[in-house]
Amino acid sequence: MANTGNTLLALITGAAIGAGVGLLYAPEKGEDTRKKLSKEAKKAKNRLDKQVSETSKHLSESAKNAKHNFESKLDETLSSASYKADDILSAMEGKLEELRAKNAKFHAESKVDELKNKAKNAIS
């Protein structure tokens, strides 16, 4: 983008210098010189308009490409995060099942111990 700005500045500066030198060394009448200056100014304007148009088109394409790349990377990241979240949830569900099984075993052992204690108390 800086190169484009430098190019435009060089183009405008060159046109201004050329017009000034043309005025100083013009061997023709003032009217002819004005016509030539007008013609050259129109040419410079056309070149500048073309350069601005090309730069605008280039920037627009660059912005579209950047947007597409960003959206693509975002989709990849979200997809990856989704898979990782699924993996984490699966692991947590597995651990929860293990804890439930241990808890059930603990409660069963606790009931057995409680029944053993009641039986001992009843016998004594």
Side-chain angles (χ1 to χ4, degrees):
M1 178 128 166
N3 288 339
T4 304
N6 289 340
T7 302
L8 291 175
L9 181 61
L11 180 68
I12 292 169
T13 303
I17 290 172
V21 170
L23 282 174
L24 292 174
Y25 291 102
E28 299 162 347
K29 292 194 271 179
E31 184 177 331
D32 293 337
T33 302
R34 284 190 294 278
K35 284 181 184 178
K36 280 187 176 182
L37 285 175
S38 176
K39 185 178 177 182
E40 290 301 316
K42 286 178 184 176
K43 284 182 185 178
K45 180 189 176 296
N46 289 338
R47 287 192 302 264
L48 183 61
D49 287 345
K50 182 179 177 183
Q51 184 71 34
V52 167
S53 176
E54 288 174 3
T55 301
S56 176
K57 181 180 176 184
H58 177 71
L59 289 174
S60 178
E61 289 173 4
S62 295
K64 285 178 186 176
N65 289 338
K67 180 183 176 191
H68 176 71
N69 289 340
F70 173 77
E71 288 173 347
S72 177
K73 294 286 185 188
L74 180 61
D75 287 343
E76 289 175 18
T77 302
L78 291 176
S79 178
S80 176
S82 177
Y83 288 126
K84 288 178 183 178
D86 288 343
D87 291 345
I88 291 169
L89 287 174
S90 294
M92 290 177 73
E93 288 171 350
K95 291 291 183 185
L96 181 59
E97 288 302 317
E98 287 177 26
L99 287 173
R100 284 183 178 152
K102 286 180 182 179
N103 192 25
K105 183 179 176 183
F106 174 74
H107 281 297
E109 290 173 355
S110 176
K111 284 284 187 189
V112 169
D113 288 343
E114 186 179 321
L115 289 175
K116 283 181 183 178
N117 286 335
K118 283 185 180 181
K120 281 184 185 179
N121 289 339
I123 294 177
S124 346

